[in-house]
Amino acid sequence: KDEPETPRGYLAQLIKQHNVLQVVADPYQLHAMITELRDEGRVYARSFNQGVDRLEADNQFRQLIVNRRIAHDG
């Protein structure tokens, strides 16, 4: 199930390597994947719809970038 070349495998690898506690995903696109990861006890999964919540999150992320309050290694 966790082939690293697949999105699910890559996500499972990130969860394990970085001690990820929660994954937030669009239930329309990724319901099966996040449900499997949750049911396996790997991570807490939360739905995040693509409406107003997404616009608010995108704006908050943009503000972090503009204000140089987020680091990225390339």
Side-chain angles (χ1 to χ4, degrees), residues 6-64:
T6 67
R8 186 193 186 287
Y10 185 66
L11 180 57
Q13 185 179 33
L14 287 173
I15 290 168
K16 185 177 180 181
Q17 288 176 343
H18 299 284
N19 195 28
V20 174
L21 301 177
Q22 179 174 337
V23 173
V24 180
D26 179 357
Y28 179 76
Q29 297 287 332
L30 301 171
H31 177 75
M33 183 173 73
I34 64 170
T35 299
E36 286 177 4
L37 291 168
R38 182 201 65 210
D39 290 351
E40 292 170 5
R42 293 178 187 243
V43 71
Y44 175 75
R46 182 171 156 243
S47 295
F48 186 80
N49 295 314
Q50 294 289 326
V52 174
D53 291 340
R54 170 68 189 268
L55 292 174
E56 183 178 324
D58 287 351
N59 183 53
Q60 289 174 355
F61 184 54
R62 182 180 180 280
Q63 290 303 315
L64 288 171

